């Protein structure tokens, strides 16, 4: 099978029943994406497929041969961090770091959803979306952090979204 992962073509021959997560980790060697619960409940395995965030443990790799797959390794590098990666570092949006790759990929996908105007369960309106702490928390609820770094994760996402501290305080009021 052939996959486009982080802009590069990869030829692999996994079992056709292999999840996208297992192909990324075991066949391509991209171990940044983590296997947490392997049931789609924790979000540690979140990657972007054609720009949309998905739990890679819940999808068969064979379904994504023609898709553009982006993992944490493809977002940035140690010398050139993606803005979301830099914000997570700045705001200490991690503790043990296990969930961090999935959190970052999910946050990048979530901000794209907001840019497209997609509402969430807590959106006040369906025709325009404003991003505040409640909106960020709801949209990120599929990603668990067992260390409870949630306030720092929200701060990092707020920074990248353009929700400045002054706007954030007003949104919280």
């Amino acid at each position: 099978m052939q996959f486009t992962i982080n802009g590069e073509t990869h030829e692999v021959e996994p079992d056709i029943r292999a999840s996208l997560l297992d192909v990324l980790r075991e066949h391509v060697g991209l171990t940044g994406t983590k296997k947490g619960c392997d049931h789609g409940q924790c979000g540690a395995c979140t990657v972007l497929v054609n720009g949309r965030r998905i739990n890679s443990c819940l999808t068969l790799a064979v379904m994504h041969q023609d898709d553009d797959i982006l993992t944490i390794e493809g977002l940035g590098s140690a010398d050139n961090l993606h803005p979301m990666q830099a914000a997570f570092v700045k705001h200490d949006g991690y503790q043990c770091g296990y969930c961090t790759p999935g959190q970052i990929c999910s946050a990048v996908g979530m901000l794209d959803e907001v840019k497209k105007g997609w509402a969430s369960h807590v959106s006040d309106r369906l025709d325009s979306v404003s991003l505040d702490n409640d909106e960020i928390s709801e949209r990120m609820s599929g990603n668990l952090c067992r260390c409870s770094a949630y306030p720092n994760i929200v701060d990092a996402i707020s920074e990248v979204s353009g929700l400045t501290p002054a706007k954030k305080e007003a949104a919280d009021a």
Side-chain angles (χ1 to χ4, degrees):
M1 291 184 252
Q2 185 174 334
F3 298 94
T4 303
I5 305 167
N6 301 330
E8 296 180 14
T9 301
H10 295 271
E11 288 277 345
V12 297
E13 291 301 323
D15 183 303
I16 61 166
R17 299 167 293 178
S19 69
L20 179 57
L21 173 61
D22 288 338
V23 166
L24 292 171
R25 292 183 59 80
E26 297 171 17
H27 296 274
V28 182
L30 297 172
T31 57
T33 305
K34 303 301 185 212
K35 183 179 278 198
C37 67
D38 213 20
H39 295 292
Q41 297 174 348
C42 72
C45 67
T46 304
V47 298
L48 300 171
V49 175
N50 298 327
R52 293 196 62 186
R53 53 190 173 151
I54 68 165
N55 290 333
S56 61
C57 73
L58 291 182
T59 187
L60 295 174
V62 69
M63 297 169 57
H64 299 288
Q65 292 183 83
D66 296 324
D67 293 335
D68 181 29
I69 301 163
L70 185 64
T71 69
I72 190 70
E73 292 93 344
L75 279 178
S77 66
D79 297 330
N80 186 24
L81 294 176
H82 182 280
M84 190 63 71
Q85 291 170 315
F88 265 67
V89 171
K90 176 181 175 184
H91 292 279
D92 195 25
Y94 55 88
Q95 286 184 25
C96 78
Y98 195 84
C99 73
T100 305
Q103 294 275 1
I104 291 172
C105 285
S106 188
V108 169
M110 182 266 295
L111 289 181
D112 188 52
E113 293 167 8
V114 170
K115 189 181 344 176
K116 292 176 180 173
W118 296 0
S120 79
H121 293 294
V122 296
S123 298
D124 290 336
R125 302 174 52 131
L126 297 178
D127 57 349
S128 66
V129 177
S130 64
L131 199 59
D132 60 16
N133 287 351
D134 288 340
E135 191 76 34
I136 291 171
S137 295
E138 169 63 25
R139 290 175 182 268
M140 293 296 293
S141 65
N143 291 80
L144 302 180
C145 172
R146 285 162 175 56
C147 300
S148 296
Y150 296 117
N152 302 359
I153 292 167
V154 170
D155 288 347
I157 295 169
S158 295
E159 178 179 305
V160 175
S161 74
L163 186 62
T164 62
K167 291 180 190 175
K168 184 178 167 206
E169 288 172 15
D172 289 341

